Amino acid sequence: MQHVIVGTGPAGVIAAETLRSKDAACRITLIGDEPEPPYSRMALPYVLSGRIAESGTWLRKSEAHFAARNIEFIQARVASIDTKQKKISLEDGGALAFDKLLLATGSRPLRPPVPGMDLDKVSSCWTLQDGRNIAAQTQPGTKVVLIGAGFIGCIILEALALRGVKLTVVEMADRMVPRMMNRTAGGLIKRWCEAKGIEVFTSAQVAAIRQAGEGLRVSLEKGPDLQADMVIAATGVGANMQCLAGSGIEVDRGVLVNDRLQSSHADIYAAGDVCQGRDFSTGEYSVQAIQPTAAEHGRIAAMNMAGRALRHQGSVNMNVLDTLGLISASYGLWQGAAGGEAAELCDEHGYRYINLQFADDVLVGAQSLGLTQHVGVLRGLIQGRLRLGKWKARLLDDPTRIMEAYLANTQAIAYNAAVL
């Protein structure tokens, strides 16, 4: 059996290792298109801030890791996939046959259609090479404009701030991290950043970027022109599906899969950022471009490729972010369920916030800010779909009692199981 995995992020690496653990005799080929060992993009800002070396981003620390497991690792770019012949063509002219194929091609940064986005000193922060370029062009006092204050943008924001640059952030939404925080929490993150000396423009869009001597001038649609030595774009990502053109594999925002992460072709699977997989909370299929989902997808897809028939129950939408020491998190249906109730508590001066969302007496979504002790509990309640009973009323009155509610309900379940 020949298994081929395209993509060397967490989904691809975990899939390769899972396949080997289930089948000692099969052939496994792992294909990556960067001139680096497999690494975590989420660790890149830590390199930029100087907290880790480049080797700290590597998903597996030993260069012999894959060879020791009889996993062939090649660095090449896939040009096309022939689903009828079950063959992959590479851009260097090579070709690979497969019995089972996993698409774990990840995503790529998207840039808005703004004049000047192609200038030399405008960069993404997505690859190790991007990180090297940014590090070479920034030092304390360098004027940097960061476009985008979403999840990825805020991770980059912290790395740039720690480098000591003079940082300005431009976000088109009315708050920071709008896809994981509501207006109250996103507004508190903005205030926190401003208190740290970062200039933040929300409800703002970049109209154009122009060369201005050796630097750049960033014009906003409404607002002042901003002077910059460098502009970094963090304006979202899109699934890497270029190699699927003409393949017949069904795609939408990602590769469409069933509950076994199997695509429209029976022998081709998808995992990670390129996979339009099941959402635990909604039951719908969507792209969740976060590392925990990629890791989960990789394991489940590999189990099915190995013939183990494992269903994917859905990934919990979960984001945890550290913005210059302020921890924020969101889970599940953090915006609320139709007809559901909510509990909210805010300490603006202490930068502490919690918001709980209920459907009947089940916690279905949550947000927290500055309350790190609740991170695992919130996920456990949501994923366990535990019925809170009388504790729902108590949480509506005081949402900070979430730990008590969790312990009371899990202990009751354990007791009932022991009695039975």
Side-chain angles (χ1 to χ4, degrees):
M1 177 73 73
Q2 172 68 65
H3 295 289
V4 175
I5 300 168
V6 184
T8 55
V13 167
I14 289 172
E17 293 168 344
T18 302
L19 281 167
R20 177 55 68 223
S21 72
K22 301 304 175 187
D23 187 344
C26 69
R27 294 180 60 196
I28 303 171
T29 301
L30 184 62
I31 305 174
D33 64 359
E34 290 190 51
E36 322 281 358
Y39 68 94
S40 168
R41 298 195 192 283
M42 292 298 99
L44 177 58
Y46 296 100
V47 177
L48 191 57
S49 65
R51 286 181 284 185
I52 62 173
E54 285 192 6
S55 59
T57 69
W58 296 352
L59 292 171
R60 301 297 178 260
K61 304 310 178 187
S62 168
E63 293 185 9
H65 177 85
F66 298 105
R69 288 157 180 76
N70 195 24
I71 297 170
E72 182 184 16
F73 172 48
I74 63 175
Q75 291 170 312
R77 184 180 293 274
V78 173
S80 62
I81 298 172
D82 185 332
T83 54
K84 293 181 180 179
Q85 298 295 320
K86 297 175 71 172
K87 183 178 71 173
I88 294 172
S89 296
L90 305 177
E91 287 189 356
D92 64 9
L96 286 170
F98 64 85
D99 294 306
K100 302 284 185 182
L101 171 66
L102 175 63
L103 300 169
T105 51
S107 53
R108 66 192 186 284
L110 301 177
R111 293 195 179 186
V114 171
M117 290 297 292
D118 57 347
L119 292 172
D120 287 342
K121 293 185 177 181
V122 179
S123 175
S124 298
C125 186
W126 193 245
T127 66
L128 275 172
Q129 188 57 51
D130 288 337
R132 295 177 190 123
N133 293 340
I134 293 169
Q137 296 181 61
T138 57
Q139 57 189 354
T142 300
K143 295 178 181 178
V144 177
V145 172
L146 173 65
I147 307 174
F151 183 81
I152 294 171
C154 282
I155 296 175
I156 298 168
L157 176 156
E158 179 173 62
L160 292 169
L162 292 174
R163 289 187 67 80
V165 306
K166 184 175 175 56
L167 183 60
T168 300
V169 179
V170 180
E171 167 58 46
M172 66 184 298
D174 63 356
R175 61 194 186 275
M176 296 182 71
V177 279
R179 293 191 176 183
M180 69 173 276
M181 289 283 126
N182 63 15
R183 185 174 297 177
T184 299
L188 285 172
I189 296 172
K190 177 182 177 180
R191 280 181 45 205
W192 177 268
C193 291
E194 290 174 332
K196 301 288 185 180
I198 297 170
E199 187 175 31
V200 182
F201 292 90
T202 51
S203 299
Q205 293 190 54
V206 173
I209 304 171
R210 297 180 177 85
Q211 198 73 42
E214 294 185 0
L216 301 169
R217 184 172 72 251
V218 180
S219 298
L220 304 183
E221 289 190 357
K222 295 180 181 179
D225 282 1
L226 307 172
Q227 302 302 313
D229 299 307
M230 187 173 198
V231 172
I232 298 175
T235 51
V237 298
N240 282 324
M241 300 187 289
Q242 302 91 315
C243 66
L244 302 184
S247 68
I249 296 172
E250 294 182 8
V251 301
D252 181 29
R253 295 188 63 192
V255 176
L256 295 172
V257 296
N258 60 19
D259 61 3
R260 290 184 172 84
L261 301 182
Q262 188 177 39
S263 76
S264 56
H265 188 289
D267 293 321
I268 299 176
Y269 297 75
D273 292 11
V274 76
C275 175
Q276 194 160 327
R278 186 181 180 91
D279 184 295
F280 174 85
S281 297
T282 66
E284 298 176 355
Y285 284 75
S286 62
V287 174
Q288 286 188 18
I290 55 177
Q291 189 159 311
T293 293
E296 180 182 34
H297 280 179
R299 180 184 65 84
I300 292 173
M303 294 289 284
N304 285 302
M305 292 168 72
R308 300 304 172 97
L310 183 63
R311 292 183 181 276
H312 178 229
Q313 301 300 320
S315 299
V316 176
N317 188 18
M318 179 184 77
N319 288 289
V320 180
L321 178 66
D322 182 348
T323 308
L324 298 172
L326 182 62
I327 309 297
S328 55
S330 68
Y331 314 82
L333 298 176
W334 62 267
Q335 294 173 306
E341 294 181 90
E344 181 181 51
L345 190 64
C346 181
D347 172 9
E348 291 190 8
H349 298 293
Y351 293 98
R352 289 159 57 88
Y353 177 76
I354 188 167
N355 181 301
L356 306 180
Q357 298 289 338
F358 301 93
D360 196 9
D361 66 343
V362 175
L363 185 70
V364 294
Q367 299 171 81
S368 67
L369 190 70
L371 297 167
T372 57
Q373 69 270 31
H374 299 313
V375 169
V377 169
L378 291 171
R379 178 176 182 176
L381 282 170
I382 293 168
Q383 197 160 17
R385 292 190 170 120
L386 297 179
R387 301 199 73 88
L388 293 164
K390 63 185 179 182
W391 272 97
K392 178 189 173 184
R394 294 172 182 174
L395 290 173
L396 288 172
D397 182 61
D398 182 1
T400 64
R401 299 184 69 186
I402 192 72
M403 182 68 77
E404 294 177 68
Y406 177 78
L407 291 174
N409 281 274
T410 53
Q411 287 171 359
I413 291 171
Y415 173 79
N416 292 333
V419 171
L420 293 174

